[in-house]
Amino acid sequence: MRSVKQALADILASTPIIDTEIITLYQALGRILSDDTFALLTHPEHDISAMDGYAVRKDDVGTLPCRLEVIEEIPAGTLPVKALNAGQASRIFTGAALPPGANQVVLQEDVDVTGEGEIRVRGVEAKSHVRLRGLDFQKGGLCRKKGTMLAPADIGLLAAANVAEVAVYRRPRVAILSTGSELVRPGETPGPGQIVSSNGVMISALVAQSGGIPLDIGPVPDDEAAMIDAAAAFDAADICVTIGGASVGKYDLVQSVLSTQGLNVGFWKIAMRPGKPLIFGDFKGAPFFGLPGNPVSAFVCALLFLKPALQQMGGRSPSALVAEHTLKTLQPLPANGKRETYLRAAQSIEKPGWVDILPIQDSAMLSALAAADCLVVRPANAAAAQVGDGVSVLSLK
Ligand code: AMP
Ligand code: MG
């Protein structure tokens, strides 16, 4: 059986990066740039005023008060036509280009209008209130790097640089096929012995959160013909996922049936708990994940393997799998066996730095998973831990 680390390495090594598409900035939130993206213009294009006031020559306002002739008015959106000579000023507004010769803006509050075309300057601030050409960025300069996940401010910057469309990685389509004759869709009334399928919608949500487009097919009954029928939808997918039917029970048909349809199994079973019976391979060339049916197992396997593969395919760096921090356990823990173990846990609010291992660790029970904000990772063969011992924690938030 592979370790979690080895399994992930093998999965990432056989997961390709997807093709790209051009989208508008309005569609770009959360998308990943597939190219270095360069500014199409310089910003600001000119030396511009940062205030409403008067453009002047510093030399003219060295001794105050002083009188200046106003030769022009320059609102934003127009360019000056007159250069300043000694003793001259131009009325100017925020964002407008400075006239040649000007290198200082005096605030309108520091000026008296003393007549038609004439002002008296009472004060000059130490700041010039001039935004120099190219202060923000230069035409042809790198605006945002390949691999950047676009946030609102990135989108604003690209817009300012007049990049209205960007090349991004396509969002991988992930087809999710839940299997089990006992399953009904959420909202339907379960018949005798039936349960509501939680996995399809839960893993769809995880896929969407990880940058993919989920395609929830199923649930399908444990029946060869039904499964073959449903698996046709895999042809439209970049990643194929089944849930349930991955063990060795009489009704576990995923491997036997799908192998006739284009599934090649790369490996099966990982030394972990929950989630041992994970299948990884390819379905007609697309990465294939056969997740176990118990909801917590399905979730943990999707988090540890499907999510990083999906991120890598979509041009992101796979999120860290390694537990990033250590907390003190509020409960004693027994020595661990050969399988790496992921325990549902919650960071203590009353005792910062401590973690509460939740009481129900059954892999079929979702309330503890929903209450958890982290997983405590117990390495293979870990020694027993006492209350207060440090344990490794993988955040879920
Ligand atoms: P299996 O791997 O098919 O043997 O399923 C293991 C357990 O997970 C069984 O108790 C199933 O009823 C349950 N299970 C399988 N698929 C789902 C699902 N989509 N939603 C909720 N429980 C499921
Ligand atoms: Mg089943």
Side-chain angles (χ1 to χ4, degrees):
M1 259 190 283
R2 277 173 172 69
S3 67
V4 169
K5 197 172 159 202
Q6 187 59 51
L8 180 66
D10 291 347
I11 288 168
L12 292 181
S14 47
T15 300
I17 294 185
I18 204 161
D19 50 324
T20 63
E21 60 186 344
I22 307 284
I23 58 168
T24 72
L25 289 185
Y26 284 98
Q27 303 165 309
L29 182 64
R31 302 297 297 272
I32 314 295
L33 280 184
S34 59
D35 284 322
D36 286 345
T37 304
F38 300 91
L40 296 180
L41 43 73
T42 295
H43 183 247
E45 194 74 58
H46 307 275
D47 295 348
I48 57 170
S49 176
M51 300 297 266
D52 292 336
Y54 292 83
V56 302
R57 299 151 34 102
K58 273 194 207 304
D59 286 352
D60 288 346
V61 292
T63 318
L64 294 177
C66 68
R67 287 187 185 282
L68 298 174
E69 178 199 0
V70 180
I71 58 168
E72 188 179 12
E73 178 166 305
I74 316 162
T78 66
L79 288 178
V81 292
K82 294 180 183 168
L84 295 190
N85 292 314
Q88 294 183 325
S90 287
R91 180 78 167 113
I92 198 162
F93 298 90
T94 306
L98 256 68
N103 53 7
Q104 172 79 45
V105 174
V106 292
L107 309 189
Q108 59 191 22
E109 298 88 321
D110 292 333
V111 167
D112 302 315
V113 178
T114 46
E116 183 68 21
E118 193 189 77
I119 54 170
R120 180 171 163 273
V121 180
R122 280 181 274 105
V124 178
E125 300 206 322
K127 277 182 82 172
S128 71
H129 298 301
V130 174
R131 297 175 176 144
L132 292 178
R133 170 181 160 80
L135 174 66
D136 209 5
F137 49 79
Q138 301 276 349
K139 179 175 180 174
L142 180 62
C143 207
R144 274 294 170 263
K145 274 205 279 205
K146 170 178 175 166
T148 302
M149 184 190 292
L150 296 172
D154 298 310
I155 292 170
L157 176 67
L158 289 162
N162 210 14
V163 179
E165 292 185 327
V166 284
V168 295
Y169 293 104
R170 195 158 62 68
R171 292 169 66 197
R173 285 186 303 263
V174 183
I176 301 159
L177 174 56
S178 304
T179 71
S181 300
E182 73 280 26
L183 303 174
V184 299
R185 285 193 181 76
E188 291 176 358
T189 307
Q194 290 192 306
I195 61 168
V196 180
S197 170
S198 52
N199 283 331
V201 67
M202 174 171 66
I203 301 306
S204 290
L206 186 69
V207 162
Q209 197 183 45
S210 312
I213 300 173
L215 225 95
D216 191 1
I217 39 180
V220 292
D222 299 308
D223 168 271
E224 186 172 338
M227 202 176 288
I228 290 173
D229 230 31
F234 281 166
D235 288 347
D238 301 300
I239 295 180
C240 303
V241 177
T242 59
I243 310 177
S247 307
V248 287
K250 181 177 167 195
Y251 298 102
D252 291 330
L253 301 177
V254 164
Q255 287 204 53
S256 59
V257 173
L258 293 186
S259 292
T260 68
Q261 303 300 303
L263 168 64
N264 294 303
V265 176
F267 61 83
W268 179 41
K269 292 190 179 171
I270 297 179
M272 65 185 287
R273 181 188 301 120
K276 180 175 128 191
L278 180 107
I279 303 166
F280 179 74
D282 77 86
F283 190 91
K284 299 183 187 169
F288 174 93
F289 294 82
L291 303 178
N294 276 314
V296 177
S297 312
F299 181 89
V300 171
C301 284
L303 184 75
L304 296 188
F305 304 113
L306 172 60
K307 180 177 176 181
L310 178 55
Q311 289 172 319
Q312 174 176 297
M313 179 176 271
R316 305 188 199 195
S317 16
S319 55
L321 230 202
V322 220
E324 322 98 66
H325 58 296
T326 300
L327 295 174
K328 292 178 183 164
T329 177
L330 283 163
Q331 287 81 22
L333 293 168
N336 199 22
K338 280 185 278 191
R339 287 153 62 185
E340 199 166 290
T341 301
Y342 292 81
L343 301 169
R344 277 67 77 201
Q347 299 180 50
S348 173
I349 293 162
E350 303 86 51
K351 293 179 82 176
W354 290 69
V355 65
D356 202 8
I357 315 287
L358 299 174
I360 300 174
Q361 293 292 330
D362 188 308
S363 66
M365 303 300 146
L366 278 170
S367 50
L369 181 67
D373 63 5
C374 61
L375 297 173
V376 164
V377 185
R378 301 279 289 147
N381 305 311
Q386 310 307 315
V387 171
D389 283 354
V391 289
S392 302
V393 170
L394 191 62
S395 176
L396 291 176
K397 301 297 168 200

